Amino acid sequence: MRGPDPDRARWLASQILPHEPQLRGWLASRVPANLEADDVVQEAYAILAALESVDHIRSPRNYLFQTAHSLILRHLRRNRVVPFETVADMERFGVTCDAPSAEDQVDARQRLAWTRGLLAALPGRCREAFVLRTVLNLPQKEIARRMGLSESTVEKHIGKAMRRLSSAVAHGGIGTLHVSKGAQAQAGDADKLAEEESRRARRRETK
Amino acid sequence: MPDAGKQNSIDAAAAVWFARMDRGEADPDVSAAFERWLAADVRHQGAYARLCAIQAAMTEESEGRTELAPAPVHSRRRLLWGGGMAAGLAGLGLVGVGWVSGSGTAYASGLGEVRIVQLEDGSSITLNTQSRVRVWLDDHRRRAELEAGEAIFNIAHRSGLPFDIKAGATQIETSAGSVAVRRFDEMSTVSLLVQEGSASIRSEGGATRALGDGALARTDGSGRLDVSVVDAEDLARRMAWREGMIAFEGESLQVAVAEFARYSAVPIIIADPALEQRTITGLFAADDPAGFARTVAMSFGVRARINPDAIRLG
């Protein structure tokens, strides 16, 4: 038992990953004591990666939120805490139904911009090694030869790149212009999230 | 990159495991240790699956938009000249100057297109709208010419082999780093922005400067060279086009409209000349001139008439 197969990895990449920042924002105010948002996110990915099939999932975003919600309820039950949440709470975030919603539509161009921003923000040698790995699909050994580095140094660069990308995905944003506002918003309440979004939209208007 | 603070320890460990397993070697002890780590906690499995997804996301997007440069020039040279002769010419200092020019390899982007080109030496070039570069790579020289438009050169370090960029009569040299070069409509005006690393620039008149992170140099046909340093926000604004956005901070509407014209075939016409010098601040999608016009119209209290062939403001 290793990682997900390539098809599942691609499904997670295109259908789940883009919603992670918003999920974390939602979790920030809903996660009970003794449970970290990181724990919920990690376990949710484990569940999604291990599913027999994802063909039946019409709204991956809703499925993700529901999974996270179930994990919270399970934690509360185990700690003998009566869940305070109501269905209305989930409905506010539009995740109760199975039908795909507008939010499922992750604009392909936005996604591309997002990943490009992530790549561009990696430090020089690290980015170089990572690009050779993912774009030219060279094995680490070959990258080491080309860059004149030891294999363990290349391994460290790949690890560093993954760590930074992992952080960037968790904190959202498509580049330095958006990131600071978005990261602040994730940390706060869901209401603050919506408020921040409309403030950002107003800021885009000309003065 | 946002300041993530202390990263979750499981995510950090997963990154280390990911890189280790990515080496592709079958050392049984390592594999066994990895499986034990995975089995120890469901969160470990999730963190690892998430990284697999992140890698898939980066690979997918890169594959869709990147193209690989053809084999470097030197392999062709060996076919024609034979190794011995090439070495002899190198001794004369002739190889790498006249001969290696040839015609290089050209890459061009269309209207409104952002295109990434991956080079064999590990460098990459990101072309902005309507841009064209020509590249020559071999064991002795790395050279590019920005023939039109704007591009970001992410230069990989190669010991003893700097990367030369020519834009009109302006020469730029860097050994490693990320630099953005732009040629303006007044063709002899060139700007150089050092995002990361260092570069030197030599203007047509012979003025030379060495530049570091955040340095912005601009030279025009007169040969003069102006250098300043931009802050992080300004730098991000100038690079926003990589993400399909245009950022303005106090530019005039006239300049803003000219910028949009680089990305879209639908011209924005400023019908009322009084509007031309009004200033614009904001972030806009480069492929949505209508959206820009509507926002401007609302802000300035004027009309925007949007038709498929032209947009009129005022």
Side-chain angles (χ1 to χ4, degrees), chain A residues 65-136:
Chain A
F65 274 75
Q66 284 160 7
T67 303
H69 190 242
S70 300
L71 288 169
I72 291 176
L73 290 182
R74 186 191 67 185
H75 178 88
L76 290 171
R77 278 197 297 273
R78 282 187 184 157
N79 284 269
R80 297 172 181 274
V81 177
V82 176
F84 186 64
E85 296 190 332
T86 62
V87 169
D89 206 31
M90 289 276 284
E91 271 175 0
R92 241 172 98 225
F93 249 85
V95 297
T96 46
C97 61
D98 189 34
S101 66
E103 275 123 333
D104 272 289
Q105 290 309 314
V106 183
D107 182 56
R109 201 195 39 219
Q110 247 195 337
R111 248 179 66 217
L112 176 63
W114 190 38
T115 51
R116 251 200 219 124
L118 296 182
L119 264 182
L122 288 174
R125 300 285 263 164
C126 180
R127 177 183 60 229
E128 197 182 321
F130 188 74
V131 169
L132 288 174
R133 182 74 193 90
T134 49
V135 176
L136 289 188

Side-chain angles (χ1 to χ4, degrees), chain A residues 1-4 9-10 12-14 17 20 24 38-39 41-43 45-46 49 109 111-113 115-125 127-128 130-136 140 146-147 151-152 155 158-159 162-172 174-179 183 203-207, chain B residues 1-2 4 7-8 10-12 15-16 18-23 25 31 34-35 38-39 42-43 45-62 65-66 68 114 116 118 120-122 154 156-158 178 195-196 236-237 240 242-243 279-284 287 295-296 298-300:
Chain A
M1 165 253 323
R2 291 280 182 100
R10 277 191 288 269
L12 291 170
S14 63
L17 216 52
E20 192 185 306
R24 287 178 184 267
D38 284 329
D39 296 333
V41 171
Q42 284 155 3
E43 191 162 353
Y45 271 98
R109 201 195 39 219
R111 248 179 66 217
L112 176 63
T115 51
R116 251 200 219 124
L118 296 182
L119 264 182
L122 288 174
R125 300 285 263 164
R127 177 183 60 229
E128 197 182 321
F130 188 74
V131 169
L132 288 174
R133 182 74 193 90
T134 49
V135 176
L136 289 188
Q140 286 192 22
R146 288 201 191 200
M147 289 179 69
E151 287 181 44
S152 74
E155 182 189 326
I158 300 295
M162 290 309 294
R163 227 173 33 247
R164 294 192 59 149
L165 292 172
S166 171
S167 238
V169 167
H171 296 269
I174 61 171
T176 43
L177 281 169
H178 296 293
V179 137
R203 215 179 284 126
R204 279 191 207 120
E205 294 168 20
T206 55
K207 290 190 188 129
Chain B
M1 276 280 170
Q7 182 172 38
N8 176 269
I10 293 178
D11 286 329
V16 172
F18 184 93
R20 188 70 184 91
M21 299 313 292
D22 182 65
R23 274 173 82 161
E25 284 152 23
S31 293
F34 174 56
E35 306 248 348
L38 276 180
V42 67
R43 293 172 299 175
Q45 294 157 39
Y48 184 75
R50 180 172 170 272
L51 291 182
C52 293
I54 289 174
Q55 194 200 33
M58 306 308 286
T59 309
E60 194 183 300
E61 299 302 346
S62 306
R65 297 289 164 156
T66 324
L68 304 180
V114 172
I116 303 177
Q118 186 65 34
E120 275 283 313
D121 68 338
N154 293 306
H157 178 77
R158 285 285 167 270
S178 212
Q195 186 196 6
E196 189 202 10
R237 273 196 298 274
R242 286 180 308 186
E243 286 143 21
T279 61
I280 306 289
T281 295
L283 183 68
F284 304 93
D287 63 357
T295 305
V296 168
M298 223 167 35
S299 272
F300 294 171

Side-chain angles (χ1 to χ4, degrees), chain A residues 7 15 21 47 66 95 100 116 119 143 153 155 170 181 189-190 201:
Chain A
D7 283 334
Q15 305 303 319
I47 290 169
Q66 284 160 7
V95 297
R116 251 200 219 124
L119 264 182
I143 294 171
T153 303
E155 182 189 326
K181 316 292 184 223
D189 189 54

